[in-house]
Amino acid sequence: MEAAKQAIEAATEGVKNLAVGTDAKKPQAPKKEKKAKAGADAASGPLEMKPEPDFLKHRVELFDRIKKRQDEELAKKPREPITITMPDGSIKAGTSYETTPGDIAKGISNSLYKRTVVARLDGDKEQLWDLERPLERSCRLELLDFEDEQGKMVFWHSSAHILGEASERRFGCSLCIGPPIDNGFYYEMGLPGGAAVQTTDWKPIETIVSSIVKEKQKFERLTMTKDELLEMFNYNKYKQHIIKDKIADGTSTTVYRNGPLIDLCRGPHVPDTGRIEAFAIMKNSASYFLGDNKNDSLQRIYGVSFPDKKKMAEHKKFLEEAAKRDHRKIGKDQELFFFSDMSPGSAMWLPHGTRIYNTLLEYIREQYWKRGYQEVITPNMYNSELWKQSGHWNYYKDDMFVIDMEENVKFGLKPMNCPGHCLLFSHRERSHRELPWRVADFGVLHRNEATGALSGLTRVRRFQQDDAHIFCREDQIKAEMSDLFDFLHEMYGLLGMTFKLKLSTRPEKYMGEIATWDRAEGMLRESLDEFTANGGGAWSLNEGDGAFYGPKIDITIVDCLNRDWQCATIQLDFMQPQNFGLEYMTNEGAQKKEDSDKPADGPKPKVKNPQAVIDSAQAAREKASEPAAVDGKDAPKKEKERVIKPVSAGCARPVMIHRAMAGSIERFTAILCEHFAGKWPFWLSPRQILIIPVGVGFYDYAEEVQKIFRQEKMYVDVDLSGNTLQKKIRTGQLSQYNFIFVVGDEEMKGRQVNVRWRDDTSAQDRGKPIALDEAVEKLSKLKADRGSYNPFPSIVKPGAAKEDAKEAAA
């Protein structure tokens, strides 16, 4: 199920404009028609299918038959004393196959039971337990509520089942999958006749959901064999495919039932549907089964739910604020960027957007200079042999833009910079004295994202990263990691963001030896523990989500709306240096070489051919019958096929650290758009100053002031339109200029500007004029400081801040 869930996350958005077919309706009396509209939109047909679909009865009968047998087996299980250890260290007595987590919660308080969504055993995130499922042994028990991340996912997964039941009852559809997602859940389904869900279906579905919640249907768990599952879901070709593909012959898995719905599911779930007190449908769209456009087109309904109505109200308020901050809206309103059908997924950056883009790069370059990075430029396109050598061809080819150059010769637009940087390192002999060697690259990258997955700047095909790679010795890893954490603190602190760290470990498909992975993961754990011990936040474990070549630390930033965004990453890689035969001369090796070089006679050392590594690896591949990538259980066998160049005498392999602080500059700009709500800080703003002359006689002075500030590399505009003064000021405020300078006779004669500051309402009116030289000096300092303070405190009216606070309180 998890694999299927991941496969369809890239599904196509959009809805076919088709109506759900319904039988012709008989004339109804006015009262009955009014009653029908209360439960469903008249254009959408009856609230539920009558009669109900035949498969509902078939499923329930089979479930009841098997459930009776399993209940009898459960009754025969031995009842033995067990101990349940709570997080506070207290111990509760229980009985195996009898005491449930719900019993423990009720024993503490009924309010605790009502708040609890699910239980977790022995601190294991994979050991989530239904509240009404009997415990089988002694354990440590945690009771998770909706505020816990796993508790929230279970709550939303249960809500998806309720949505699935309502959809079956309304459409008689074939359900596919219904997972929880970051902001709610969805259910995917095939409607009879390939029909589409309409917005007019939302209210009827919510009405059915309300009745399901009121019924307090229990969630019941049942283990079934593969053959039993195929019989239960014989009407549903999507479930049949999942069962045949994901469940091995002769094995079993679980289903969950609530009311007439029975669904293939690992669980767990909330005790009953009555826990879902607030439910809303958010949108619907089209998708393809398994995310493949060659498969059936399905319908997807998205929803969100909460344990109380107050949280739903807060969520809707949050959505309203998020909509105002949508980077696509801000990008259009502020003329920052747009997208063209002539190049989908590639942003067209307008002048004001380019100002932001370049300012971000300028800041990062300053950090590079401070931290000892060297910038490089590498090709946009490489021979496929490079990607085969790095291992990306077997793991990443489908996400690349591949070009047929000539017969049997393929090139690929680069989706990442690391293989190219390995070539840079290997082009000549390296000394231990050169390490750490930190190389940064803002090269253009391309990834072949599915059309339906493209979303503004957050998911694009063409982008740039603040990509860098550090080649170092193993004993240098700790210091490099410490500097990277400092980099994160400084950069995100400047932007007013906090961040979270997750250690992502060896995935199911990986390259290399497990011992190497264990060593790399251990080093990252040590660095994270030290970061936490020195005052950094606690880190969490994200098992199985590492890159195929090494473990990584994923950095999630938190914006002003408390939303998480995945941006930065730090990856520890022992494999690419092996794949490319990278090496450096050690201190001992250098000393021996110096000694051996002293005699004049003897053969001269050979100069390393930059292409030698690739040529030798390519020749080895021509002998091999299969690709050399390694994954899963076949790792030892396939690893032998990959030719690893032995380390030369007196040399050692470097370790490679992949890192990005912003990640994609496009995506990072989108995040900043929404974080600042388009109110860019002065140093990053594309509209820093607007000069407004009060009349035609002051145009020349306004343009002179503009020229002075432009010499200081500030973005300054002059409004010479025929609008009134008040309209010009209002237009400047709506355009989010940081400062507005109004100039008239007094300002021109005194070489002054009358300043209005965007970020303080008490500094919006006419105030004390500021000397031009003072304005230049203070704004130059504000820009250099990358500050967010008011450089002109004299323009704020005395007591204005207190008055504003009183008005806000009132």
Side-chain angles (χ1 to χ4, degrees):
M1 289 293 287
E2 184 64 21
K5 170 188 168 184
Q6 292 175 354
I8 103 185
E9 280 304 316
T12 312
E13 297 291 338
V15 183
K16 294 182 179 179
N17 189 22
L18 298 174
V20 177
T22 57
D23 295 334
K25 290 181 287 185
K26 297 178 181 179
Q28 295 178 331
K31 284 186 178 181
K32 289 185 179 179
E33 185 177 324
K34 187 175 181 180
K35 187 176 181 180
K37 285 185 177 180
D41 189 287
S44 301
L47 183 64
E48 298 186 41
M49 290 189 70
K50 297 296 182 184
E52 66 182 23
D54 292 337
F55 63 77
L56 296 182
K57 182 180 179 182
H58 166 73
R59 279 191 326 210
V60 169
E61 288 177 349
L62 181 57
F63 182 94
D64 287 343
R65 190 164 66 247
I66 300 172
K67 182 75 162 55
K68 181 180 179 182
R69 184 187 72 216
Q70 290 192 13
D71 285 346
E72 291 172 353
E73 293 172 356
L74 179 62
K76 296 176 183 178
K77 296 284 186 181
R79 272 39 177 186
E80 298 175 349
I82 60 172
T83 56
I84 298 104
T85 306
M86 305 304 290
D88 63 359
S90 63
I91 296 176
K92 309 291 183 182
T95 303
S96 63
Y97 296 102
E98 187 174 294
T99 303
T100 68
D103 293 334
I104 301 298
K106 289 175 186 175
I108 297 172
S109 72
N110 283 330
S111 62
L112 174 62
Y113 175 72
K114 290 178 181 178
R115 291 196 309 272
T116 303
V117 172
V118 71
R120 182 164 59 211
L121 307 188
D122 297 325
D124 185 351
K125 290 186 176 182
E126 296 300 315
Q127 281 286 303
L128 295 182
W129 210 260
D130 296 288
L131 289 185
E132 303 307 321
R133 181 182 172 189
L135 296 167
E136 300 172 0
R137 55 178 172 77
S138 296
C139 62
R140 288 183 291 113
L141 181 70
E142 297 173 82
L143 300 172
L144 310 181
D145 62 15
F146 183 80
E147 300 307 317
D148 181 272
E149 191 60 34
Q150 284 196 290
K152 184 177 293 181
M153 289 297 105
V154 168
F155 189 92
W156 281 343
H157 192 186
S158 302
S159 302
H161 278 234
I162 295 174
L163 173 59
E165 178 186 341
S167 299
E168 284 189 336
R169 287 166 59 175
R170 178 160 178 78
F171 304 119
C173 56
S174 292
L175 296 178
C176 183
I177 64 169
I181 53 178
D182 288 342
N183 54 358
F185 51 89
Y186 68 79
Y187 223 117
E188 196 168 62
M189 64 200 73
L191 270 60
V197 174
Q198 304 294 317
T199 54
T200 51
D201 291 308
W202 294 10
K203 181 63 177 175
I205 292 173
E206 289 177 346
T207 300
I208 299 172
V209 167
S210 294
S211 68
I212 294 170
V213 171
K214 288 177 182 177
E215 291 171 10
K216 295 186 177 181
Q217 300 171 355
K218 292 187 180 299
F219 280 91
E220 298 179 274
R221 181 179 184 271
L222 183 66
T223 300
M224 297 180 65
T225 66
K226 182 174 184 177
D227 290 340
E228 289 169 339
L229 290 169
L230 290 172
E231 180 185 351
M232 174 171 278
F233 296 101
N234 57 11
Y235 64 93
N236 187 327
K237 63 180 180 180
Y238 308 113
K239 296 290 187 187
Q240 290 272 316
H241 179 93
I242 293 170
I243 293 166
K244 291 175 182 177
D245 186 53
K246 302 300 177 185
I247 302 173
D249 291 342
T251 63
S252 301
T253 190
T254 56
V255 297
Y256 275 79
R257 174 184 175 181
N258 58 286
L261 177 81
I262 301 170
D263 201 9
L264 186 69
C265 180
R266 289 178 57 193
H269 288 286
V270 296
D272 62 68
T273 58
R275 295 295 188 97
I276 316 299
E277 291 192 9
F279 180 103
I281 292 176
M282 306 309 295
K283 66 176 181 177
N284 65 274
S285 69
S287 63
Y288 292 109
F289 181 54
L290 302 181
D292 188 341
N293 60 11
K294 295 177 183 177
N295 292 337
D296 288 359
S297 178
L298 302 175
Q299 296 295 297
R300 189 182 285 188
I301 303 175
Y302 292 84
V304 69
S305 63
F306 295 93
D308 60 66
K309 293 179 180 179
K310 182 181 177 182
K311 282 186 170 60
M312 177 65 83
E314 291 171 351
H315 179 70
K316 289 185 175 180
K317 186 176 180 181
F318 164 81
L319 291 179
E320 289 176 7
E321 181 61 30
K324 294 176 187 175
R325 294 168 177 263
D326 191 312
H327 75 278
R328 290 162 293 193
K329 180 181 184 298
I330 293 171
K332 181 180 179 181
D333 293 346
Q334 296 189 0
E335 293 188 327
L336 304 180
F337 60 86
F338 68 93
F339 289 88
S340 168
D341 291 340
M342 295 298 100
S343 184
S346 300
M348 304 285 290
W349 289 91
L350 294 162
H352 287 88
T354 304
R355 291 174 180 180
I356 297 170
Y357 203 104
N358 287 338
T359 303
L360 284 172
L361 296 186
E362 179 185 343
Y363 168 74
I364 294 168
R365 283 190 167 107
E366 285 184 20
Q367 288 290 323
Y368 285 167
W369 180 264
K370 170 183 173 180
R371 298 174 188 277
Y373 288 79
Q374 301 179 75
E375 194 171 339
V376 297
I377 299 172
T378 52
N380 279 5
M381 184 170 63
Y382 291 98
N383 191 305
S384 62
E385 294 303 319
L386 177 75
W387 307 111
K388 291 174 183 176
Q389 183 175 356
S390 68
H392 288 91
W393 194 253
N394 293 294
Y395 292 86
Y396 216 86
K397 180 180 64 174
D398 292 341
D399 295 314
M400 294 173 62
F401 288 99
V402 178
I403 303 167
D404 290 318
M405 298 295 286
E406 51 189 84
E407 188 176 359
N408 296 325
V409 178
K410 294 182 183 295
F411 274 65
L413 293 178
K414 66 178 179 182
M416 68 284 293
N417 290 305
C418 26
H421 289 181
C422 288
L423 291 183
L424 289 177
F425 188 92
S426 66
H427 94 283
R428 66 166 174 80
E429 289 183 344
R430 299 283 175 186
S431 166
H432 67 97
R433 296 185 183 90
E434 297 178 69
L435 304 184
W437 194 55
R438 309 180 186 98
V439 287
D441 194 334
F442 290 111
V444 174
L445 306 176
H446 286 86
R447 294 183 184 175
N448 190 12
E449 301 283 0
T451 301
L454 300 176
S455 178
L457 293 177
T458 58
R459 184 68 67 88
V460 292
R461 288 174 175 162
R462 184 269 187 203
F463 60 100
Q464 290 174 255
Q465 286 186 327
D466 62 328
D467 198 12
H469 295 91
I470 302 168
F471 298 87
C472 62
R473 305 189 308 265
E474 281 196 41
D475 63 299
Q476 294 172 324
I477 291 174
K478 185 175 179 180
E480 291 304 308
M481 293 298 299
S482 178
D483 182 71
L484 292 177
F485 290 141
D486 181 72
F487 198 156
L488 288 170
H489 262 301
E490 185 167 341
M491 181 171 174
Y492 293 144
L494 172 66
L495 298 167
M497 293 175 164
T498 57
F499 61 89
K500 305 172 185 175
L501 303 176
K502 292 187 295 186
L503 173 59
S504 296
T505 56
R506 186 178 70 251
E508 182 180 346
K509 293 186 177 182
Y510 63 91
M511 175 182 287
E513 300 291 338
I514 290 180
T516 304
W517 276 86
D518 290 345
R519 190 162 89 255
E521 289 174 7
M523 291 178 174
L524 291 185
R525 285 174 188 271
E526 184 179 346
S527 295
L528 287 165
D529 287 339
E530 185 171 321
F531 168 76
T532 301
N534 290 334
W539 58 275
S540 60
L541 186 63
N542 186 24
E543 291 188 14
D545 201 38
F548 70 87
Y549 48 77
K552 60 180 179 174
I553 297 173
D554 288 319
I555 297 95
T556 304
I557 59 176
V558 184
D559 69 9
C560 66
L561 292 183
N562 206 32
R563 295 177 298 181
D564 291 346
W565 299 88
Q566 175 64 56
C567 290
T569 185
I570 302 170
Q571 302 170 2
L572 189 56
D573 183 1
F574 283 80
M575 292 311 306
Q576 295 304 330
Q578 283 189 17
N579 294 340
F580 286 91
L582 304 185
E583 59 186 34
Y584 64 90
M585 187 164 289
T586 63
N587 184 35
E588 296 77 10
Q591 187 63 48
K592 290 179 181 178
K593 186 175 185 301
E594 288 175 7
D595 294 340
S596 63
D597 284 347
K598 287 179 181 177
D601 54 340
K604 295 182 179 180
K606 293 182 179 179
V607 178
K608 191 173 183 180
N609 185 339
Q611 197 65 25
V613 176
I614 287 184
D615 290 344
S616 61
Q618 184 175 348
R621 273 195 303 275
E622 289 173 355
K623 290 183 179 182
S625 59
E626 296 179 45
V630 177
D631 75 52
K633 296 180 180 179
D634 296 331
K637 178 182 176 182
K638 291 190 175 182
E639 184 66 21
K640 293 177 183 177
E641 296 169 0
R642 176 171 286 274
V643 176
I644 303 297
K645 178 182 176 292
V647 180
S648 303
C651 293
R653 290 246 190 266
V655 179
M656 190 175 178
I657 301 175
H658 308 241
R659 49 104 293 180
M661 297 290 111
S664 159
I665 303 299
E666 280 73 7
R667 177 177 168 80
F668 198 64
T669 303
I671 294 167
L672 292 179
C673 261
E674 301 193 9
H675 177 62
F676 294 124
K679 293 187 176 183
W680 301 95
F682 184 74
W683 69 274
L684 193 53
S685 177
R687 295 177 174 85
Q688 294 172 323
I689 303 169
L690 175 64
I691 303 172
I692 301 176
V694 299
V696 176
F698 310 106
Y699 281 11
D700 289 345
Y701 179 62
E703 290 175 338
E704 180 189 353
V705 173
Q706 179 189 35
K707 183 178 180 181
I708 290 171
F709 279 91
R710 281 180 59 84
Q711 288 175 345
E712 299 300 320
K713 297 191 181 336
M714 297 183 201
Y715 298 123
V716 189
D717 296 316
V718 180
D719 188 341
L720 301 180
S721 69
N723 293 327
T724 64
L725 176 62
Q726 290 305 316
K727 186 170 184 179
K728 289 180 179 181
I729 291 173
R730 183 58 179 157
T731 299
Q733 290 170 335
L734 292 174
S735 299
Q736 301 301 335
Y737 282 92
N738 299 77
F739 295 93
I740 296 176
F741 293 170
V742 178
V743 295
D745 186 61
E746 179 183 354
E747 288 77 21
M748 184 175 70
K749 288 179 180 178
R751 303 286 295 170
Q752 299 171 323
V753 289
N754 197 290
V755 181
R756 287 162 171 77
W757 183 39
R758 180 198 67 191
D759 297 334
D760 191 334
T761 56
S762 64
Q764 299 290 329
D765 299 328
R766 177 180 175 83
K768 179 182 176 182
I770 304 295
L772 186 57
D773 290 344
E774 180 185 350
V776 172
E777 177 187 351
K778 290 189 173 180
L779 287 184
S780 295
K781 186 176 187 304
L782 179 66
K783 181 184 176 186
D785 292 345
R786 297 190 172 94
S788 57
Y789 56 86
N790 177 13
F792 308 111
S794 63
I795 67 175
V796 178
K797 290 183 178 181
K802 292 182 180 179
E803 290 175 9
D804 287 347
K806 287 181 181 178
E807 289 179 8

